Amino acid sequence: MNCMLDKLLFGRFIQSDSLVHRLDPRAKLVGAFYFIIIIFLANNWQTYLIMTLFTFLCVILSDIKLSVFLNGVKPLVWLILFTVLLQILFTRGGETYLQWGPISITSYGLINGAFIFMRFILIIFISTLLTLTTMPLSLTDAIEKLLGPLKRFKVPVHEIALMLSIALRFVPTLMDEATKIMNAQRARGVEFGEGNIVQQMRAVTPILVPLFVSSFNRADELANAMEARGYQGGEGRTKYRVLNWQLRDTLSLLAFAVLTALLVIFRTS
Amino acid sequence: MAMDITFDKVGFSYSAGTPFENRALYDVNLNIPDGSYTALIGHTGSGKSTVTQHLNALLKPTEGTVTIGDRVITAKSNNKNLKALRKKVGIVFQFPESQLFEETIAKDIAFGPMNFGVSKEDAMAIVKRVLPLVGLDESFMERSPFDLSGGQMRRVAIAGVLAMEPEVLVLDEPTAGLDPAGRREIMNMFYQLHVDKGLTIVLVTHQMNDVATYANHVIIMEKGTVVKMGPPAEIFQDAEWLQQKQLGLPSALAFLDKLSKKTGIDFGEERPLRTEQLASVLIAKVNENKVPDQAVPGKAGELHA
């Protein structure tokens, strides 16, 4: 359990000063979301090649080693293979190579499987790139700003952003706490990951209960500390971190427009 | 069976093999003799807590070997049958009150022993025996641990570790955040266990006075490695060296050094670590300087009393 959390890359940040790091978080967030949408436009090998080249360009510009991304994919590899396998086995159409009851291997299935594989890898790469190059706090700033227009429809944007930033801030703290509690319980003779399912579930109680209790205490203390420092909600607050949209941010979004145009040209209708 | 603990060229990294790899220990060589009261001291982040987690194989060294009693633990040794080891080496972690989870205090204290195969009746007998040790009584048994004050929760958590009846007790800053009376009470309790039952104790602390008062073996760590090991008298010999390592002297010794500097009086070679020793050094000095026929009868006697 520990090792897996250690290896899971998603949601962590690597400090650096590359071009991608310096982009405005709004540009990166919009770009990453947009990429995930337009990847569904790709439907032949040319378009997937374009998407792959674009992703690699982003990776190179981020100054982060490719091996880091490959390690990030590793924990999810079984999920990807499982989905791809289902695609291959249950898609019909085109030339049939093998048929056994409802299971069949067809040319459409193989092509679809390959496309879905690429889709997974590219989406994981781009979203990992987003979190590796953007500080969690900048991300929440970007979300607050981008959701801003929704205030008119009575959506509590500030509160959502605040909850998000607090949640993100406490992810590592809670992970530390969970590790500490696990170690303390292991020292008291609990063995995790052993025995049958019921025993394994029971072994989780000594971690979950203390973790919830300490979260309640922490929430109480944090709320008190915030009130003591004069927090009264989003109304009339100024900002310490100001987002600064620059030419390179506009240019990066233009790159996405070019990408879309290329996709539209090369996709088969 | 003797539970000597030896580290031989131990190295350890957190998240080994990832971009977030974090080296915590380098070439650690130390030994904790059976029956000793060992203090592990060092600046924050020097690797003390990482060492404590090696003492019952919660962490396995990435290099070198850890020998605990007759078990040898290396990077390759497997995780089976560590229970026997964990029963013998009990660890009280920092802020142990965060490990409480059962509905009643009795159940929580019995949790450890029952994990090691003690029957429910026997575990309850142990609970009754352990509660007074930490200054609580049987009326607490059926109460919820979450209704207690912070200090009482700490006592229950410590009782939960003592209930496993370990041969080695590892204490990671057991009194942090307690009031002075509670601190003294709990520290004396640990010392009594050490004296009465021959329990080996490993204490991680920043309190030099506790080191001077209780320990008979001191290990100093800096930047993930052991820089000095020996009896307290030897360790506290060189005040300047300790200062460099961002450590201090016990207050008795610090006071004597300051006094000697301000007054220019030489108090001799003896280095008092505790208040009582300091008092006898000062009394000796006072008596030595007194011209016998000018002495007021009774004064010296008062000092001795």
Side-chain angles (χ1 to χ4, degrees):
Chain A
M1 190 165 174
N2 255 334
C3 305
M4 212 200 89
L5 289 181
D6 276 351
K7 295 226 165 67
L8 196 60
L9 200 60
F10 193 76
R12 299 180 80 166
F13 171 68
I14 297 181
Q15 187 80 47
S16 173
D17 192 34
S18 74
L19 178 67
V20 182
H21 278 84
R22 275 180 279 130
L23 282 180
D24 190 291
R26 281 170 293 179
K28 280 188 272 187
L29 193 64
V30 170
F33 266 103
Y34 188 67
F35 184 92
I36 291 170
I37 294 166
I38 58 172
I39 197 155
F40 291 98
L41 281 179
N43 62 359
N44 57 15
W45 68 268
Q46 290 97 329
T47 41
Y48 272 104
L49 185 70
I50 293 169
M51 292 302 263
T52 311
L53 288 178
F54 181 80
T55 310
F56 276 92
L57 182 71
C58 294
V59 168
I60 291 165
L61 287 177
S62 75
D63 253 359
I64 296 173
K65 280 198 217 102
L66 189 65
S67 61
V68 175
F69 288 88
L70 292 176
N71 278 332
V73 175
K74 258 187 215 160
L76 301 169
V77 81
W78 292 112
L79 179 74
I80 299 172
L81 288 183
F82 178 71
T83 320
V84 169
L85 203 70
L86 283 187
Q87 265 311 310
I88 291 176
L89 293 181
F90 292 103
T91 308
R92 277 157 198 256
E95 209 174 315
T96 306
Y97 302 117
L98 204 106
Q99 176 87 44
W100 187 69
I103 296 172
S104 61
I105 296 183
T106 62
S107 57
Y108 275 27
L110 287 177
I111 291 168
N112 259 341
F115 284 174
I116 285 189
F117 179 77
M118 283 315 290
R119 224 179 266 169
F120 261 114
I121 299 286
L122 294 181
I123 289 178
I124 292 171
F125 265 51
I126 283 291
S127 46
T128 310
L129 184 74
L130 174 71
T131 57
L132 282 181
T133 59
T134 320
M135 271 188 296
L137 277 179
S138 325
L139 266 186
T140 49
D141 284 346
I143 292 171
E144 178 167 10
K145 204 80 187 181
L146 290 171
L147 291 183
L150 290 180
K151 271 185 208 153
R152 285 187 199 181
F153 305 105
K154 304 246 165 51
V155 177
V157 172
H158 170 77
E159 281 72 15
I160 291 173
L162 180 76
M163 278 195 283
L164 257 176
S165 64
I166 291 177
L168 282 173
R169 156 67 187 77
F170 279 99
V171 167
T173 314
L174 280 178
M175 295 253 271
D176 277 357
E177 181 105 19
T179 319
K180 261 178 60 189
I181 294 170
M182 260 176 85
N183 278 339
Q185 307 299 22
R186 280 161 78 201
R188 294 211 286 167
V190 180
E191 294 199 42
F192 297 105
E194 278 182 23
N196 60 36
I197 282 210
V198 179
Q199 282 168 329
Q200 288 203 29
M201 302 241 282
R202 206 170 284 158
V204 178
T205 326
I207 320 174
L208 277 191
V209 174
L211 210 51
F212 270 109
V213 170
S214 80
S215 304
F216 286 135
N217 288 337
R218 216 182 279 281
D220 190 34
E221 280 162 22
L222 183 67
N224 281 336
M226 281 170 72
E227 257 183 81
R229 291 164 75 178
Y231 177 79
Q232 292 187 322
E235 215 53 45
R237 271 174 75 81
T238 53
K239 280 205 164 296
Y240 173 63
R241 294 181 306 270
V242 180
L243 298 178
N244 189 5
W245 190 274
Q246 283 172 322
L247 182 64
R248 57 170 175 256
D249 302 309
T250 317
L251 287 179
S252 69
L253 288 192
L254 269 178
F256 276 97
V258 173
L259 182 68
T260 317
L262 285 175
L263 282 183
V264 171
I265 293 166
F266 283 101
R267 77 191 298 258
T268 46
S269 46
Chain B
M1 189 194 65
M3 287 290 288
D4 291 292
I5 298 177
T6 313
F7 280 44
D8 185 31
K9 300 200 185 76
V10 169
F12 181 78
S13 307
Y14 286 101
S15 309
T18 71
F20 305 96
E21 177 163 340
N22 180 9
R23 188 86 199 222
L25 298 180
Y26 303 85
D27 192 33
V28 172
N29 296 291
L30 57 83
N31 83 86
I32 296 165
D34 185 52
S36 70
Y37 195 126
T38 300
L40 188 57
I41 56 179
H43 188 51
T44 313
S46 59
K48 306 184 295 286
S49 294
T50 311
V51 164
T52 60
Q53 291 179 47
H54 279 83
L55 296 176
N56 70 356
L58 284 174
L59 296 177
K60 283 190 295 181
T62 32
E63 293 152 24
T65 53
V66 176
T67 315
I68 307 165
D70 55 359
R71 272 199 78 135
V72 179
I73 291 167
T74 64
K76 289 193 190 83
S77 51
N78 73 6
N79 281 328
K80 291 276 179 268
N81 305 320
L82 287 174
K83 264 195 171 179
L85 182 66
R86 301 226 166 108
K87 185 187 176 329
K88 282 184 183 146
V89 183
I91 301 190
V92 177
F93 284 92
Q94 274 174 45
F95 302 101
E97 53 273 27
S98 66
Q99 74 192 34
L100 303 175
F101 72 100
E102 285 278 19
E103 301 122 71
T104 67
I105 289 168
K107 273 192 190 172
D108 203 285
I109 297 174
F111 178 71
M114 282 167 71
N115 278 332
F116 294 114
V118 174
S119 73
K120 197 167 181 196
E121 294 75 46
D122 291 351
M124 285 303 152
I126 295 176
V127 173
K128 285 188 184 140
R129 204 165 63 234
V130 168
L131 271 174
L133 282 181
V134 294
L136 301 174
D137 58 56
E138 279 183 32
S139 67
F140 282 92
M141 281 179 68
E142 293 309 313
R143 289 174 61 181
S144 160
F146 299 110
D147 291 340
L148 302 180
S149 71
Q152 287 171 325
M153 282 171 80
R154 176 82 53 99
R155 285 157 198 258
V156 172
I158 291 172
V161 175
L162 291 178
M164 306 185 325
E165 302 179 315
E167 291 171 34
V168 179
L169 187 60
V170 182
L171 309 163
D172 196 346
E173 298 188 46
T175 57
L178 289 187
D179 59 73
R183 284 176 42 96
R184 214 172 313 125
E185 212 175 291
I186 288 202
M187 289 309 292
N188 284 335
M189 185 265 299
F190 289 134
Y191 190 67
Q192 273 310 312
L193 285 171
H194 166 71
V195 172
D196 297 345
K197 301 195 174 160
L199 207 65
T200 309
I201 290 189
V202 181
L203 172 72
V204 176
T205 186
H206 291 288
Q207 307 290 328
M208 295 305 140
N209 287 336
D210 285 347
V211 178
T213 314
Y214 301 107
N216 53 28
H217 182 58
V218 183
I219 298 168
I220 301 186
M221 293 197 63
E222 193 198 21
K223 290 180 187 149
T225 193
V226 173
V227 288
K228 208 170 200 174
M229 196 162 70
E234 200 179 290
I235 292 285
F236 292 121
Q237 206 51 253
D238 190 346
E240 243 169 68
W241 184 85
L242 283 168
Q243 199 120 61
Q244 276 170 20
K245 305 289 170 210
Q246 315 226 31
L247 298 167
L249 289 174
S251 46
L253 200 48
F255 170 77
L256 194 72
D257 280 357
K258 224 174 230 173
L259 191 66
S260 145
K261 212 176 187 179
K262 282 244 165 96
T263 59
I265 300 170
D266 178 23
F267 288 96
E269 281 305 294
E270 208 200 325
R271 308 276 287 159
L273 296 178
R274 300 171 210 152
T275 340
E276 313 91 73
Q277 290 172 337
L278 174 67
S280 48
V281 167
L282 291 179
I283 291 164
K285 200 76 198 172
V286 169
N287 285 342
E288 179 191 307
N289 283 3
K290 208 155 22 193
V291 185
D293 49 354
Q294 278 181 339
V296 185
K299 263 277 156 77
E302 259 169 43
L303 268 176
H304 280 295

